[in-house]
Amino acid sequence: MAEKKITLEQVRHVARLARIDLYPDDEERLRTDMDQILSYVDKLGELDVNGIEPTVQVGESGAPMRSDEVTNSPNAEAMLANAPVRHRGYFKVPKIIE
Amino acid sequence: MSNEAYEAVIGLEVHTHLMTKSKLFCGCSTEFGRAPNENVCPVCMGMPGVLPVLNRRAVELAVRAGLAAHCEISPRSIFDRKSYFYPDLPKNYQISQYETPVCRGGYIEIQSGDGAPKKIRLVRIHIEEDAGKNIHEADASLVDFNRSCVPLIEIVSEPDIRSAAEASAYLHELRGILRYIEASDGRMEEGSFRCDVNVSVRKRGVSELGVKTEIKNLNSFRFVEKAIEYEVNRQIATLESGSRIAQETHLWDPVREETRPMRSKEFANDYRYFPEPDLPPLLIPPAMVEEIRRAMPELPSDRRARYIRDFGLSSYEAGVLTAERETADYFEGASVGLKNRRTAANWVMTEVLRIANETGQQISEALPSAREAGALLAMVEAQQISLNAAKTAFAAMIKSRKSAVETVAELGLAQVSDTVAIASACDKLLAAEPEKLAEYRAGRDKLFGFFVGQVMKAMGGKANPKVINEILKQKLAG
């Protein structure tokens, strides 16, 4: 564990992408955790995968497809029922600043 | 500053809705213009535990687009998650395709400025889902998820475009193709056909690319052209003044007719694409491609060639008639029973397109059916009515929606070809104008037109001018 695989700046970047506020104490702890995870995953690098297609999923039967039919009927009320705030049939959210 | 010393390098990214009845991954309707949040369900709302199921028709239409644009169809492509946070994206990721698009390569052929054909190469066409729609109010934003999960294809061109005019030609050709193959309705104003533009400039003769800007918010062909012209001039002026171009995203402001940089996002694009674990790979075996190819409607370029070859139309005429599938279908429908296809070609290029333009409506909404137009034109060919009378009848048919036969009868537009009636009118006229007759016989040929006009007037304008000419010539000769 001598070599650091991830910097504090990268930890902050990932936290920002995930919209997570970190306390300064958390940052170093998370950095260590992430370092360990990456070291563990590095194990895979020991395998020779030359010429092998990446396996995205196991079982290559392909995505099942449905025919193009409308099977849901309008039910705005049911979908809006869980909205914390609503306004004239819309979900209302804090103003987005462009 | 000399603009001639620079050339523009332009690439376009077009997003278009696919014309499916249901959404890409669920059975909600894609109908436009419904009340907010009517066409939604747990899948397109991103509720926990739901699974997407791919719409076969969306895949078929994407492959059609790829075949029409000469792309290579990927036998195996995967879907990826593109992650970002925005209120219109309920799952916090968009299902898209990143490293393995469904179609690769290909090209769209346009006519460049000098009329020569030019191929605009494509990078890729991929399938993805649309996001919902935000409406920004003073104190809050409102979200409507009806559009969430509506199937889209994104068509990315290589930077082969060199001017605003070429960009416009490319978009028109692409939109025409997508409409012909029933993949897209091409409605820019409804947001079902959207375009982002990448623009850079470089000194002529230089091969490396300049720094590009991306322009968004272009919802009409005119805006695309204007925004490119504005941006190219701005970039040249910036470089000439010794400054550098910043790589940024601009928004087109249609009111001020300028592009302005968007406030740069907190941090640059970092979408963390990774394979969508909820969808197995999309497999499109050669047999499926062939099946889709067989079901493809005729492409505009094929129709153009057919009109020139089989109907003897000029390249220009064929181009006008095939620009929109609806126009071409109307032309063919109207010309079925005619002796000369050109009668219908001229009619469509003048009357039909003029009226459609003036009303701003689709041909099918604004005009009588192609069959009725054909019936009217058949009467012109048979000399039962004059071309002017046909125009009058057509205008009346637009309002009344009555048949051509009925309208011509009601308005009394039928031409009189009755030789006895016309001969009698000629005799009366010549008897009433002995001086003019003498002058004509003495060699004033110009008076012929006067006699024709007078007979036509006496016949209430309905006589067949060809018959008048023949009879008058005989009588004047004495």
Side-chain angles (χ1 to χ4, degrees), chain B residues 383-455:
Chain B
Q383 295 191 20
Q384 290 161 351
I385 56 171
S386 69
L387 198 61
N388 270 332
K391 288 178 186 171
T392 309
F394 204 56
M397 287 158 70
I398 289 169
K399 293 203 183 86
S400 70
R401 296 278 149 174
K402 286 183 180 167
S403 74
V405 173
E406 236 180 319
T407 307
V408 166
E410 247 175 46
L411 299 178
L413 292 169
Q415 262 181 171
V416 178
S417 296
D418 175 355
T419 47
V420 178
I422 292 173
S424 138
C426 289
D427 287 338
K428 269 190 210 157
L429 174 70
L430 298 187
E433 301 280 3
E435 286 164 23
K436 290 246 164 59
L437 176 59
E439 274 180 55
Y440 178 83
R441 284 182 174 158
R444 258 192 85 187
D445 292 348
K446 277 186 185 165
L447 280 170
F448 188 74
F450 162 79
F451 290 119
V452 173
Q454 289 302 306
V455 175

Side-chain angles (χ1 to χ4, degrees), chain B residues 87-100:
Chain B
D88 61 10
L89 193 72
K91 296 191 294 289
N92 297 332
Y93 59 83
Q94 177 193 28
I95 302 179
S96 179
Q97 295 191 302
Y98 188 54
E99 280 182 9
T100 57

Side-chain angles (χ1 to χ4, degrees), chain A residues 13 16-19 53-54 56-57 59-77 79-80 82 87-98, chain B residues 20-24 26-28 34 36-38 40-41 45 53-57 76 78 85-87 135-138 140-143 145 267 270 272 275 277 279-281 283:
Chain A
H13 176 68
R16 265 201 307 272
L17 286 174
R19 301 290 195 277
E53 279 275 301
V56 175
Q57 288 194 341
E60 283 279 302
S61 56
M65 293 186 235
R66 41 172 262 275
S67 61
D68 180 29
E69 275 158 35
V70 176
T71 50
N72 298 337
S73 38
N75 194 350
E77 193 45 46
M79 296 314 300
L80 281 158
N82 295 321
H87 178 66
R88 295 196 321 258
Y90 291 96
F91 292 85
K92 190 171 178 178
V93 299
K95 184 166 173 61
I96 310 155
I97 297 147
E98 292 260 312
Chain B
T20 58
K21 295 196 282 281
S22 66
K23 291 185 177 181
L24 185 55
C26 63
C28 288
R34 294 286 284 267
N37 295 306
E38 273 204 349
V40 295
C41 75
M45 288 285 305
V53 187
L54 191 55
N55 184 335
R56 173 182 286 273
R57 182 70 182 160
R76 176 180 182 275
I78 59 169
F85 288 101
Y86 210 63
I135 296 168
H136 304 294
E137 302 228 309
S141 294
L142 305 176
V143 195
F145 290 107
F267 29 92
D270 187 346
R272 293 150 290 149
L279 283 166
L283 302 182

Side-chain angles (χ1 to χ4, degrees), chain B residues 5-6 55-56 63 71 102 112 117 135 148 227-228 248 259 271 286 375 382 401:
Chain B
Y6 289 87
N55 184 335
R56 173 182 286 273
V63 172
C71 301
V102 67
S112 67
I135 296 168
S148 169
I228 289 174
E248 54 195 5
T259 63
Y271 294 125
R401 296 278 149 174

Side-chain angles (χ1 to χ4, degrees), chain B residues 14 22 67 180 301 319:
Chain B
V14 170
S22 66
L67 290 173
Y180 264 77
S301 53

Side-chain angles (χ1 to χ4, degrees), chain B residues 295-311:
Chain B
M296 285 261 282
E298 191 183 25
L299 293 171
S301 53
D302 295 335
R303 265 202 188 188
R304 270 198 293 275
R306 184 161 61 83
Y307 287 5
I308 295 167
R309 190 183 61 232
D310 297 352
F311 302 163

Side-chain angles (χ1 to χ4, degrees), chain B residues 226-238:
Chain B
K226 283 191 160 186
I228 289 174
E229 275 162 16
Y230 177 89
E231 185 59 19
V232 167
N233 288 331
R234 186 192 71 81
Q235 289 189 10
I236 292 171
T238 305

